[in-house]
C-alpha cells in the first residue's frame, strides 16, 4: 500500500468522528441550500396550483426570478465560505503532523497528494450526497421548459429560465465546493518549517487570519462553525413549518370562456350544469380587469364531487369553453405538501442530532485544550476554586447560547402559527420543537463539562497521591 | 557520509523585532563515520545548526556538502528524498504522530521510501530500545523517555548514513541512558554512519570522536 493511501486511511480510521462530522456538516450545508430552493419552489407551486384557473393569476414576474436567483447565490456564497472555513480548520489541524512528515522526507508533491486525498474524500462524499438534489432541480427545469414549449399553464411559479440557471449554478456550486479543499491546499505551502499552515496567496492569507483571530478567547472559525451548527437545523424547521395545508379550494371545477371569444358564456351552459346533482354553489362571473374574462365556478357536495366534475367535463366537451379541474390538482398539491413537510421535519431531526454530535465534539476539544492550559496553571498555583469557576463559566455560556436558540425556535414557531392559514400546528408540537433541542444541548454541555471537571480533579488527586508516595 | 559546512549562516527575520542570528559563519567538517558531540548553552543555536544539517531549513547563506555535493543548491523534492533516504533525525521534542501506533510511527520512514519492513528487524530494534511491549500503544500513553526511544527507533529504522540527534538522552534515567550510549556505539559498529549528537550531557562525550562547543553561532573544537 502506498504511503499516501496508508496515511489517509489511518487518518479516517483514527479520527472517524472528525471525518464523519466533516461529511455531515458539508452535506448539511448542501442540503440546506438545495432545500431552501425546493421550499421556495414548492410553496410557489402550491400557490400557482391554488390559483390555477383563476383569471387574476399572473405569470411569475421578473422580480420573482431575480429574488430567487439572489437567494440562491447568497446561499452558494455562504456554502462556499462554510467549506473554506472547514478546510482552513482542517489544514491547521493537519499542519503539525504534516510538518513531521516533511521532516521525515515526504516530498512536497506527495504531501499535496495526501492533502488532496484527505480533504477531498469528505467533500466528495458530501457532494455525492447532494447530487440528487441538483438532478432533481434539473428535472424540474426540464418539466417547466416542456410545459412552456407546449403552451400549457406553468407548473411552477419560478420561470423555467430561472430554474435552468439555478440548477446549473447549484451544480457548479457543488462542484466548486468539492474542489475547494483541493484548491486551497494547492495555493498554500503545505507547511511552514514550524508546522503552521500559512497560505501564500494574499486573499487566502487574509481569510486565514480572519478565521484565526481570537474573539474572547475563542477562534472566529470555532464560533462560525458553532453558529452554522445551530442555524442549520433551524432553517429546516422553519422550512417545515412554513408548509401549511392548502386552503380549501374556492371551487371544485370551473369553465372558462376562451379569451379570444370576448363574449359572455351562453346561458345554456350554466343551465345544464345547474341540473347536475349535488351542486352546492354555482357562480357565473364576468370581468374585464385585464382583458375580458368570463366563466362559471362550481362547488359540489363532498360525496358527489367526483361525479359532478365528470358531468361538467362531459358538458363542456366539444365546446370552445375550457374546462378546469382544480380539485384533483389541489388534492395532489396538498399531498405533496405534507410529504415534503414530513421529509423536512425528518431532516431537521437528523440535523438536530448531528448538531448535538458536532457540538459535543467541539466542546470536547475546547475543554481538552483549556484543560491542558488549566493543568499548567494549576501546577503554577491557580486555586482549584478558579478552575471550577472556569468549568462553570463554560457551562453557563452554553446555557445562554441554548437559551437564545430556544427563544429563536419558539419565535419562529409562533410566527408560523400567527400568520395566515396558521393555527394548524398544535401548541404541544411547537413547544416540543422549541425546547427539546436546547434542553438536550444544555444537558449535554453540563454533562461534558462536569465530566471534564471530574477527570481533571481525578487526575490531580491521583497525581498528588503518587507524589505523596514518592 | 562526509559533511562539510562552508560559511553557514542562519538569520531568523522576525518582522519588526530584532533579527536573530542563530548560526553565524559556521565552518565545520564531519568525517565519514565519525561521532561528533555538540555542546553549548541553551539558545546558542545547536538545534538550528542540526536542522540545517538535516535539510529541514535552508541557510540564509553558505553551503553544506554531503560527500562533496552541495545540498543547499538542490530543489525541495531532492532535499526531501535525501531526508528520507539518508538522514535519521531525532527531534528535541520527539515529534511522534499521535494518531499512529508506536509500530506505525517507527515504520513511517520505511513507508515513505516505499519499502517493506521485516518483523524481525523491528522486533530487534524495539528490544534494543526496551519498547518491544509498547508497539501497539499510541504515543499519548507512553512516558517521555519511552516516546524518546520511539523517536530514536524511527530515526534508525532506515539505517541512514547520517544520524542527527537533538538531546536524545534528555528524558532518560541513567540506566536507560547508558543503554542508549551503548546502542549508539552498537549502531556505529554495525554500519558506521556519521553521527551528530547535540547534548548537555557530558557522559555522551565518552563515545565521541570529536567534541565541539557552540559559541557565537558556530562550533568550536574542544580538547578533552
Ligand atoms: N523559528 C524561529 N524563529 C525565530 N527565532 C528562532 C527560531 N528558532 C530558533 N530561534 C532562535 O534561534 C536561537 C537558537 O535557537 P536553538 O533552538 O537553535 O537553540 P539551542 O542551542 O538548540 O537551545 P536549547 O539547548 O535550549 O535547545 C534562539 O535565540 C532562538 O530563539
Ligand atoms: Mg535545542
Amino acid at each position: 500500500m502506498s504511503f499516501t493511501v496508508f496515511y489517509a486511511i489511518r487518518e479516517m480510521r483514527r479520527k472517524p468522528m472528525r471525518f464523519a462530522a466533516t461529511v455531515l456538516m458539508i452535506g448539511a450545508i448542501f442540503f440546506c441550500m438545495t432545500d431552501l430552493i425546493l421550499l421556495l419552489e414548492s410553496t410557489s407551486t402550491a400557490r400557482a396550483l391554488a390559483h390555477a384557473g383563476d383569471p387574476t393569476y399572473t405569470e411569475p414576474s421578473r422580480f420573482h426570478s431575480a429574488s430567487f436567483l439572489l437567494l440562491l447565490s447568497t446561499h452558494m456564497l455562504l456554502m462556499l465560505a462554510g467549506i473554506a472555513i472547514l478546510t482552513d480548520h482542517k489544514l491547521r489541524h493537519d499542519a503539525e503532523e504534516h510538518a513531521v512528515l516533511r521532516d521525515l522526507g515526504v516530498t512536497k508533491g506527495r504531501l499535496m497528494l495526501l492533502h488532496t486525498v484527505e480533504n477531498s474524500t469528505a467533500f466528495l462524499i458530501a457532494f455525492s450526497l447532494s447530487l440528487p438534489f441538483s438532478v432533481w432541480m434539473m428535472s424540474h427545469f426540464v418539466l417547466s421548459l416542456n410545459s412552456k414549449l407546449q403552451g400549457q399553464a406553468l407548473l411552477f411559479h419560478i420561470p423555467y429560465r430561472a430554474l435552468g440557471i439555478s440548477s446549473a449554478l447549484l451544480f457548479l456550486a457543488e462542484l466548486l465546493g468539492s474542489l475547494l479543499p483541493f484548491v486551497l491546499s494547492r495555493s498554500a505551502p503545505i507547511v511552514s518549517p514550524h508546522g503552521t499552515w500559512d497560505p501564500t496567496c494574499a486573499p487566502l492569507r487574509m481569510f486565514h487570519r480572519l478565521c484565526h483571530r481570537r474573539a474572547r478567547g475563542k477562534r472566529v472559525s470555532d464560533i462560525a462553525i458553532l453558529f452554522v451548527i445551530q442555524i442549520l437545523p433551524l432553517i429546516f424547521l422553519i422550512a417545515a413549518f412554513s408548509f401549511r395545508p392548502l386552503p380549501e379550494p374556492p371551487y371544485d371545477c370551473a369553465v372558462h370562456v376562451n379569451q379570444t371569444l370576448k363574449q359572455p358564456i351562453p346561458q345554456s351552459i350554466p343551465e345544464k350544469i345547474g341540473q347536475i346533482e349535488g351542486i352546492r354553489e354555482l357562480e357565473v362571473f364576468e370581468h374585464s380587469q385585464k382583458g375580458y374574462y368570463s366563466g362559471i365556478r362550481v362547488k359540489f357536495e363532498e360525496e358527489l364531487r367526483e361525479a359532478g366534475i365528470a358531468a361538467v367535463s362531459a358538458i363542456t366537451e366539444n365546446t370552445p369553453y375550457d374546462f378546469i379541474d382544480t380539485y384533483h390538482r389541489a388534492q395532489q398539491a396538498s399531498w405533496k405538501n405534507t410529504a415534503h413537510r414530513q421529509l423536512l421535519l425528518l431532516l431537521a431531526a437528523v440535523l438536530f442530532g448531528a448538531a448535538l454530535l458536532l457540538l459535543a465534539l467541539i466542546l470536547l476539544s475546547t475543554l481538552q485544550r483549556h484543560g491542558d492550559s488549566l493543568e499548567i496553571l494549576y501546577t503554577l498555583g491557580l486555586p482549584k476554586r478558579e478552575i471550577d469557576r472556569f468549568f462553570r463559566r463554560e457551562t453557563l455560556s452554553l446555557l445562554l447560547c441554548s437559551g437564545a436558540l430556544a427563544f429563536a425556535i419558539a419565535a419562529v414557531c409562533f410566527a408560523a402559527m400567527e400568520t395566515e392559514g396558521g393555527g394548524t400546528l398544535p401548541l404541544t408540537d411547537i413547544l416540543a420543537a422549541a425546547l427539546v433541542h436546547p434542553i438536550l444541548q444544555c444537558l449535554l454541555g453540563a454533562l461534558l463539562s462536569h465530566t471534564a471537571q471530574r477527570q481533571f480533579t481525578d487526575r490531580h488527586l491521583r497525581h498528588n497521591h503518587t507524589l505523596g508516595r514518592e | 557520509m562526509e559533511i562539510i559546512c562552508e560559511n553557514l549562516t542562519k538569520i531568523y527575520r522576525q518582522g519588526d523585532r530584532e533579527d536573530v542570528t542563530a548560526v553565524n559563519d559556521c565552518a565545520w567538517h564531519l568525517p565519514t563515520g565519525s561521532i561528533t558531540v555538540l555542546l553549548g548553552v541553551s539558545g546558542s543555536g545547536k538545534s538550528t545548526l542540526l536542522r540545517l544539517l538535516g535539510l529541514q531549513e535552508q541557510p540564509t547563506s553558505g553551503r553544506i556538502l554531503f560527500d562533496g555535493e552541495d545540498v543547499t543548491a538542490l530543489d525541495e523534492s531532492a532535499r526531501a528524498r535525501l531526508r528520507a533516504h539518508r538522514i535519521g533525525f531525532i527531534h528535541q521534542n520527539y515529534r511522534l504522530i499521535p494518531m499512529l501506533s508506536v509500530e506505525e510511527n517507527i515504520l513511517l520512514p520505511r513507508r515513505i521510501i516505499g519499502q517493506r519492513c521485516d518483523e524481525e528487524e523491528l522486533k530487534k530494534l524495539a528490544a534494543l530500545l526496551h519498547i518491544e511491549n509498547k508497539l501497539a500503544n499510541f504515543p499519548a500513553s507512553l512516558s517521555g523517555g519511552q516516546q524518546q526511544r520511539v523517536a530514536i527507533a524511527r530515526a534508525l529504522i532506515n539505517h541512514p548514513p547520517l544520524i542527527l540527534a537533538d538531546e536524545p538522552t534528555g528524558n532518560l534515567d541513567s540506566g536507560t541512558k547508558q543503554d542508549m550510549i551503548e546502542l549508539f556505539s552498537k549502531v556505529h559498529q554495525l554500519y558506521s554512519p556519521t553521527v551528530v549528537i547535540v547534548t548537555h550531557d557530558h557522559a555522551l562525550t565518552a563515545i565521541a570522536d570529536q567534541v565541539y562547543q557552540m559559541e557565537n553561532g558556530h562550533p568550536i573544537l574542544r580538547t578533552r
Side-chain angles (χ1 to χ4, degrees):
Chain A
M1 199 187 339
S2 91
F3 164 75
T4 312
V5 177
F6 159 79
Y7 197 82
I9 290 179
R10 278 295 174 286
E11 164 113 86
M12 277 170 231
R13 221 165 62 191
R14 295 281 150 69
K15 299 171 182 163
M17 290 302 266
R18 210 164 84 189
F19 182 70
T22 316
V23 174
L24 257 175
M25 182 86 175
I26 302 162
I29 296 173
F30 280 135
F31 278 145
C32 165
M33 184 183 70
T34 34
D35 217 89
L36 259 176
I37 295 159
L38 292 183
L39 162 78
L40 201 79
E41 175 268 318
S42 43
T43 41
S44 61
T45 307
R47 209 178 322 135
L49 288 174
H51 288 273
D54 184 345
T56 53
Y57 169 76
T58 50
E59 294 262 311
S61 65
R62 237 169 243 266
F63 173 73
H64 194 118
S65 332
S67 54
F68 176 72
L69 286 177
L70 190 73
L71 184 80
L72 179 80
S73 25
T74 315
H75 275 107
M76 250 174 64
L77 285 179
L78 263 182
M79 179 192 74
L80 292 180
I83 290 174
I85 290 176
L86 273 174
T87 312
D88 189 78
H89 212 66
K90 187 166 182 330
L91 288 176
R92 182 165 52 81
H93 272 293
D94 291 343
E96 219 165 293
E97 287 171 16
H98 286 190
V100 178
L101 293 182
R102 190 198 65 129
D103 287 351
L104 285 176
V106 178
T107 56
K108 202 167 169 183
R110 274 165 103 190
L111 270 184
M112 287 280 194
L113 186 67
L114 187 62
H115 254 296
T116 313
V117 172
E118 279 179 354
N119 291 311
S120 300
T121 317
F123 290 87
L124 280 177
I125 292 176
F127 174 63
S128 43
L129 277 179
S130 70
L131 198 61
F133 279 78
S134 65
V135 171
W136 210 70
M137 280 275 289
M138 264 181 234
S139 70
H140 275 48
F141 162 61
V142 172
L143 274 178
S144 185
L145 183 64
N146 193 35
S147 62
K148 176 85 185 173
L149 288 180
Q150 297 194 348
Q152 293 166 350
L154 276 185
L155 192 54
F156 309 105
H157 195 67
I158 295 162
Y160 73 98
R161 266 197 220 92
L163 264 178
I165 295 174
S166 57
S167 52
L169 274 180
L170 184 60
F171 184 74
L172 206 72
E174 287 177 350
L175 208 65
L176 259 177
S178 328
L179 287 178
L180 199 62
F182 177 78
V183 176
L184 280 185
S185 49
R186 285 269 146 176
S187 57
I190 286 301
V191 276
S192 75
H194 306 288
T196 50
W197 187 75
D198 260 329
T200 39
C201 105
L204 267 184
R205 200 163 48 235
M206 261 170 59
F207 177 73
H208 179 74
R209 296 241 171 94
L210 180 75
C211 282
H212 290 213
R213 179 152 300 152
R214 294 184 157 272
R216 301 195 117 256
K218 289 192 171 63
R219 284 199 190 84
V220 172
S221 56
D222 286 349
I223 297 173
I225 288 181
L226 268 175
F227 176 76
V228 176
I229 289 174
Q230 304 286 5
I231 225 71
L232 278 181
L234 194 61
I235 289 178
F236 277 83
L237 206 66
I238 297 171
F241 283 151
S242 41
F243 277 103
R244 277 179 228 102
L246 284 177
E248 172 95 348
Y251 45 85
D252 290 326
C253 67
V255 177
H256 282 192
V257 172
N258 198 318
Q259 269 193 58
T260 48
L261 285 179
K262 285 206 187 258
Q263 52 176 286
I265 204 151
Q267 194 55 40
S268 60
I269 293 190
E271 269 169 14
K272 269 194 220 160
I273 292 176
Q275 281 156 18
I276 298 172
E277 200 187 345
I279 293 224
R280 208 167 62 186
E281 276 171 34
L282 190 150
E283 180 197 358
V284 181
F285 68 91
E286 188 179 354
H287 65 78
S288 48
Q289 280 167 351
K290 295 177 189 166
Y292 179 81
Y293 288 102
S294 82
I296 309 162
R297 288 178 190 153
V298 197
K299 210 162 182 172
F300 294 101
E301 296 295 342
E302 193 63 41
E303 58 278 11
L304 291 170
R305 187 183 282 169
E306 297 273 348
I309 290 172
V312 175
S313 141
I315 292 169
T316 51
E317 225 168 24
N318 300 323
T319 63
Y321 311 114
D322 296 332
F323 169 75
I324 295 161
D325 167 7
T326 51
Y327 167 75
H328 287 296
R329 288 207 196 162
Q331 190 73 352
Q332 204 181 356
S334 75
W335 172 82
K336 193 179 162 196
N337 246 347
T338 34
H340 204 121
R341 178 178 170 159
Q342 270 159 6
L343 181 73
L344 282 175
L345 277 177
L346 187 75
L347 279 176
V350 170
L351 272 185
F352 271 131
L356 279 179
L357 191 82
L358 284 176
L359 197 75
L361 279 175
I362 289 181
L363 260 179
L364 272 179
S365 84
T366 315
L367 285 173
Q368 172 95 42
R369 202 157 7 107
H370 285 306
D372 291 346
S373 27
L374 278 180
E375 199 157 331
I376 296 167
L377 291 176
Y378 181 75
T379 53
L380 288 177
L382 185 77
K384 178 83 172 46
R385 187 160 34 83
E386 285 294 322
I387 289 167
D388 288 344
R389 195 176 294 163
F390 161 80
F391 282 112
R392 264 204 303 279
R393 206 170 46 226
E394 278 290 298
T395 318
L396 192 72
S397 74
L398 193 77
L399 221 74
L400 284 178
C401 178
S402 312
L405 183 73
F407 184 75
I409 297 179
V412 166
C413 300
F414 281 111
M417 222 174 60
E418 285 302 303
T419 46
E420 39 97 28
T424 49
L425 278 174
L427 193 67
T428 45
D429 276 17
I430 294 172
L431 283 181
L435 295 179
V436 167
H437 179 71
I439 287 177
L440 278 179
Q441 189 175 312
C442 278
L443 282 178
L444 182 79
L447 185 77
L448 283 178
S449 108
H450 176 73
T451 320
Q453 189 175 5
R454 260 251 315 273
Q455 262 178 4
F456 186 84
T457 317
D458 276 0
R459 201 161 52 222
H460 280 283
L461 285 181
R462 208 176 58 222
H463 186 63
N464 291 341
H465 186 61
T466 41
L467 273 185
R469 256 203 328 231
E470 281 163 10
Chain B
M1 194 157 76
E2 185 192 36
I3 319 288
I4 295 171
C5 302
E6 292 175 352
N7 310 96
L8 207 59
T9 299
K10 177 74 188 180
I11 301 170
Y12 288 112
R13 310 212 183 273
Q14 324 194 69
D16 43 357
R17 279 168 296 149
E18 213 176 303
D19 293 350
V20 178
T21 308
V23 174
N24 189 13
D25 198 23
C26 155
W28 209 14
H29 179 224
L30 308 170
T32 310
S34 63
I35 299 183
T36 305
V37 164
L38 181 61
L39 304 168
V41 295
S42 176
S44 55
K46 306 180 297 291
S47 298
T48 307
L49 180 57
L50 216 59
R51 280 203 302 274
L52 290 175
L53 288 181
L55 308 186
Q56 291 174 8
E57 270 177 54
Q58 275 287 53
T60 312
S61 64
R63 302 200 302 166
I64 300 170
L65 308 177
F66 282 9
D67 285 334
E69 187 195 7
D70 181 2
V71 290
T72 44
L74 296 174
D75 67 2
E76 178 48 37
S77 65
R79 287 154 58 86
R81 263 193 299 283
L82 273 180
R83 285 200 293 269
H85 288 264
R86 317 212 58 187
I87 301 172
F89 202 105
I90 301 157
H91 280 276
Q92 192 164 8
N93 41 10
Y94 332 131
R95 301 187 75 185
L96 302 176
I97 297 200
M99 66 162 195
L100 298 182
S101 69
V102 166
E103 179 175 341
E104 287 164 344
N105 260 296
I106 296 177
L107 291 180
L108 203 57
R110 268 291 156 92
R111 283 198 180 271
I112 291 172
I113 62 172
Q115 275 179 17
R116 304 238 109 251
C117 175
D118 65 293
E119 286 288 305
E120 277 302 296
E121 197 182 340
L122 175 72
K123 291 256 165 62
K124 236 166 60 193
L125 186 61
L128 269 175
L129 289 156
H130 308 298
I131 43 172
E132 64 270 38
N133 53 0
K134 297 283 176 196
L135 288 178
N137 286 38
F138 285 90
S141 66
L142 299 186
S143 73
Q146 285 164 343
Q147 289 185 40
Q148 190 148 41
R149 280 174 275 157
V150 175
I152 295 174
R154 184 175 69 182
L156 296 180
I157 193 81
N158 274 350
H159 305 294
L162 174 62
I163 296 172
L164 303 169
D166 201 346
E167 313 233 7
T169 57
N171 266 301
L172 304 180
D173 60 282
S174 55
T176 326
K177 197 185 293 176
Q178 206 49 50
D179 287 349
M180 212 57 54
I181 295 174
E182 273 162 32
L183 176 80
F184 273 110
S185 32
K186 211 182 276 175
V187 168
H188 201 255
Q189 279 160 18
L190 207 66
Y191 70 98
S192 51
T194 309
V195 181
V196 183
I197 305 172
V198 165
T199 186
H200 292 290
D201 185 359
H202 285 259
L204 275 164
T205 56
I207 53 163
D209 299 317
Q210 42 184 7
V211 178
Y212 281 83
Q213 172 95 26
M214 196 76 177
E215 264 165 38
N216 302 324
H218 48 258
I220 291 170
L221 187 63
R222 262 179 45 157
T223 44
R224 272 172 295 175

